[in-house]
Every structure is written in C-alpha cells, then in structure tokens.
Amino acid sequence: MERVDVLVLGGGVAGVCTAREVLRRGRQVAILDRGRICSGSSYGNAGLIVPSHSVPIAEPGVMAKGLKWLFNPESPFYIKPRFDRQLLSWLWHFRRACTHERVRRAMPLMRDLHLESLRLFGALAEEVDFEFGARGRLLVCREERGLQAVAREADLMRGLGLEVRMLTGAELAEKVGDAVHFSSVGAAYYPQDAHVQPQHFVRQLAAHCAELGARVVEECEVLAIEGADGRVSCVRTTRGDWGAEQIVLAGGAWSPQLLGGLSMHLPVQPAKGYSIMVERPERCPNIPFMLTEAKIAVTPLQDEVRFAGTLELAGLDLSINPRRIDAMRRAVAAYVPAWTSEALRVREIWRGLRPCSPDGLPFLGRSAQWANLVVATGHGMCGLSLGPVTGQITGQLVCGEEPRFDLALCRVERFA
C-alpha cells in the first residue's frame, strides 16, 4: 500500500489548490485523478472570479422564475425528464433552501470567501505563470425588466460592501469603446470581479505542486473508500491501494459515488454546463461580460473568447445536446449583432458537470463521521472562483489549523 501524509482525491481546481497549501506546510501530498489533471469542470468553465456572485443559486423566487424553463431543452435551466429518487430529494431540499433567512445568512460568507479567493489569485499570479485579468465584469441587459433585476441585485451587493456601478446604454458603449457594439439598454459594472484562463491556471499550479514534491497520479480511478473505527483506512484504486493520515475528497460531481463504502449521504447533483471557445475577433472588449437574460458568460482571453452557460440536471450524462449549443449561439448574436455564427471561428465545444448542492453552498469541512476525511465539493458554478480559498481552508484543516471562516453553513452532513 502506498502511503502519504495527505491524499487528495480529484485533480481539479479545489484539489490542486489544496495540494499547494499542504505542501506549503511541509507535508507530503499525492493527488489522484480519474482522468487527466483538469479534465473535469475546471477545464472549460468561464474562468470567472466573482465576488459579485454572492447570492446563492437557491434564492426566493428562483423556482417560480425557473418553471418556464424546466423542460425546455433550449433554456438556460433544464431538467431532463426521468424518475430519479436522488434528483427528487435534491429538488425537495433545493425548494426548502429558497428562503430569505438562508440567503441573508449565506451572502456575507460567500462574499468573504470570494474576496479571499480574489486576494489569493493575485498572490499566486506572482509565483505561477498564468493569465490573470483583474478588469472587473459587466452584466449586460437587453431588456428594461432585466436591467431592473440587475439594479435590485446591485443594491444587495452594495449592502454587502461590494463595489458596483449602474451604466446606461450610452455609458456602456463608452466603457467598451469601439471594441464591440451591444444591443443593450444598460449594464452593471463590478470592478472587483476578475478572470483567469481556467485550464492553464489549474495545470500550471499542478506542475508547480509537482516541482515542490507532490505526487500527481493521473488515470487513477477510485474503486472504493474503506473505513474502520471512525477513520478512512484505505482508498482502493485502479492503480493500487493508498493510505494516508488525512484524506481530502475533491472529486466534483463524482464525489457522492466515491462515498458509498462509507455510508455517507452527499446530495450533489451533476449540473451539465456548456462552453464554446472561438477565435478571438479583431474587435473584442477586454472586460468579461454576462448576457444577463440569457445567463451566458463571455470571457475574452488572450487569443480566444469563451461563451459559457446553461445548467442541465441530467445525471452523469456527458452527451452534447446540439439544440443547447445552437441556443447559446443565437443568444450571443442577439446581444452582439456582429458575432453571428458565420462570423466566429469555433475552436472547441465543451461540456462538463458542475457539482451542485441543494442550497448553493459548498460542502466544505471535516466529516463528523470519519475523523480523517475532509470534503471540498458542491461549489456549483463558483468552483473556479472559490478554488484558492477552498484550498486554503482544506489545507488548514488537514494540518490541524483552525480556518478563520465560520463554516457552519457548509457542514458536510447538513442534509444527512
């Protein structure tokens, strides 16, 4: 049996950020991934760091707003019709979480986690070579109703102490100059948001960890996690058995499957998201922006532009639905008339599974059942943004330190 101080299950952003924090504290660490490093949802996401996204997805009114979308395969939010007990249970918990009280308690925590992650991204950029843009983010609206909703959310964010400025259509045009013409009535600008090239960041950080002494084992699928006397005793994989003083579960959407041998219930639903990577047009703004009503993020990167969006509850299904890709392309052209499908050169169409909890908060902390197991998953659409702070917290926990954040809302067994 191979043995290390800390064994990290998952080579996405949470896993590699955890490994770095463990290495900084002088401990041995190994990262195991079922595929290649950054082959899951960390690869093709929008790459956004979003203090502005401090309202959890489970908020009052979201069920009513989403009902018109639920069974439309082209909508931003889609549930594939099927009988699935785990999905039904998840939806029941989701509905219960959509209360003003839960949101009121969650927003300050999410703000603090995002802001600390933003700080950590800046610090990492001084050590590791990756594309990091601290230019803010625009929420672009086509309709007055959408602009009014964005303005109401902006008031909430100001109440949390975040910076935000509402822009008229003319002010938005002035902000981006001649880089692009929007079909828009206005926007909100969040200067504290930022972005990275996600797969470049994760892979560069993993290589940095390897240079510091981490063992990085790819194509290593976990077959079973076994426990005895309140501790995880063995992790059986396709590449041998592993033991460790501390185990970190950062397996994303596959995390619940890995816990079967420990009799743990972790209600994480895989939420499929899509992205379209296109060659960067000659005229393109440097600021990431959101097509607000369409729920599509647009991230300009060094030599490409990434359109990312949709949330599809379809289980562990990685098939590509062409109707959803076509809907994204039409939405982009509706906001940016020059960016038609014919005008843009597609480099890659991608899909991945985000790990979503019922209340929109991650499962982050030590298990109450298994003394040497720390869980770091369920981040939903904020996994990249919360990656460094997740790594900081899990690194502290496995090394016997007390995180400075109150993580009561993120308890691992809160839905047990």
Side-chain angles (χ1 to χ4, degrees):
M1 179 186 292
E2 302 274 0
R3 294 202 65 87
V4 290
D5 294 337
V6 180
L7 184 64
V8 178
L9 306 181
V13 63
V16 297
C17 287
T18 294
R20 177 186 176 274
E21 293 289 338
V22 172
L23 289 163
R24 287 182 61 238
R25 290 162 171 78
R27 306 288 292 277
Q28 293 177 317
V29 64
I31 308 170
L32 311 185
D33 195 271
R34 67 194 303 272
R36 309 291 290 181
I37 290 293
C38 194
S39 59
S41 61
S42 293
Y43 174 83
N45 65 73
L48 297 174
I49 305 155
V50 280
S52 64
H53 198 62
S54 292
V55 179
I57 188 173
E59 59 174 314
V62 72
M63 291 293 285
K65 286 190 293 185
L67 282 176
K68 63 180 180 179
W69 289 338
L70 289 186
F71 302 106
N72 177 1
E74 296 188 6
S75 69
F77 178 33
Y78 171 62
I79 298 179
K80 183 178 180 179
R82 66 194 191 280
F83 181 76
D84 183 326
R85 291 180 186 275
Q86 292 181 341
L87 173 61
L88 293 174
S89 173
W90 188 94
L91 289 170
W92 185 77
H93 284 300
F94 179 84
R95 182 185 62 82
R96 291 192 66 195
C98 294
T99 68
H100 289 287
E101 175 60 20
R102 280 180 181 258
V103 171
R104 183 190 65 79
R105 293 173 60 204
M107 285 196 305
L109 173 62
M110 294 296 285
R111 171 204 60 198
D112 292 345
L113 292 175
H114 280 297
L115 288 174
E116 177 63 5
S117 240
L118 175 65
R119 185 190 72 78
L120 291 169
F121 269 112
L124 283 167
E126 297 180 3
E127 297 181 35
V128 182
D129 179 26
F130 64 93
E131 182 180 348
F132 175 58
R135 304 186 191 101
R137 184 173 68 117
L138 292 162
L139 274 60
V140 179
C141 304
R142 287 193 71 213
E143 303 170 358
E144 284 293 340
R145 185 169 57 180
L147 187 61
Q148 291 167 10
V150 163
R152 288 193 295 270
E153 185 171 90
D155 287 338
L156 282 176
M157 295 303 102
R158 290 191 190 98
L160 287 174
L162 296 175
E163 299 175 40
V164 56
R165 183 159 66 97
M166 296 301 299
L167 306 176
T168 64
E171 290 169 332
L172 172 61
E174 183 179 352
K175 180 73 177 173
V176 298
D178 62 358
V180 73
H181 168 68
F182 287 114
S183 176
S184 168
V185 297
Y189 174 57
Y190 285 89
Q192 291 165 292
D193 286 2
H195 69 280
V196 298
Q197 219 285 15
Q199 70 267 38
H200 190 210
F201 167 71
V202 175
R203 288 172 178 168
Q204 287 290 95
L205 189 56
H208 178 66
C209 288
E211 291 173 1
L212 295 177
R215 293 185 62 182
V216 179
V217 186
E218 300 177 306
E219 307 292 348
C220 179
E221 187 174 351
V222 174
L223 301 175
I225 303 177
E226 299 175 357
D229 301 322
R231 294 182 64 83
V232 175
S233 55
C234 179
V235 177
R236 303 196 183 278
T237 81
T238 53
R239 299 186 65 178
D241 296 345
W242 292 76
E245 287 299 313
Q246 300 288 327
I247 311 291
V248 176
L249 177 63
W254 283 267
S255 295
Q257 288 190 321
L258 304 183
L259 292 173
L262 300 180
S263 300
M264 282 184 65
H265 175 59
L266 197 68
V268 168
Q269 275 293 310
K272 189 191 301 183
Y274 293 85
S275 67
I276 306 171
M277 279 77 94
V278 303
E279 190 172 294
R280 182 167 173 146
E282 185 176 339
R283 295 180 61 186
C284 177
N286 287 323
I287 305 173
F289 54 94
M290 184 80 179
L291 311 180
T292 303
E293 294 90 348
K295 309 297 183 190
I296 294 173
V298 181
T299 311
L301 299 168
Q302 188 170 16
D303 62 349
E304 70 180 19
V305 176
R306 182 166 298 182
F307 310 126
T310 82
L311 193 155
E312 180 179 331
L313 298 178
L316 293 170
D317 172 13
L318 280 167
S319 64
I320 292 178
N321 185 338
R323 292 180 63 181
R324 297 184 73 72
I325 298 297
D326 291 343
M328 290 177 66
R329 287 172 164 169
R330 290 196 302 271
V332 169
Y335 284 81
V336 186
W339 288 2
T340 62
S341 295
E342 295 74 23
L344 298 175
R345 182 179 177 182
V346 175
R347 288 185 171 179
E348 184 178 3
I349 292 172
W350 173 90
R351 76 289 197 203
L353 302 175
R354 311 182 194 96
C356 285
S357 72
D359 58 6
L361 299 175
F363 293 102
L364 185 55
R366 190 172 291 283
S367 167
Q369 298 173 252
W370 303 96
N372 62 336
L373 176 65
V374 173
V375 176
T377 190
H379 296 75
M381 292 173 285
C382 295
L384 189 282
S385 183
L386 297 177
V389 73
T390 296
Q392 180 190 75
I393 290 167
T394 51
Q396 290 169 338
L397 287 170
V398 299
C399 293
E401 302 172 23
E402 189 67 29
R404 67 181 179 86
F405 299 99
D406 181 357
L407 298 173
L409 292 175
C410 300
R411 286 184 303 109
V412 174
E413 283 93 353
R414 64 186 183 271
F415 296 103

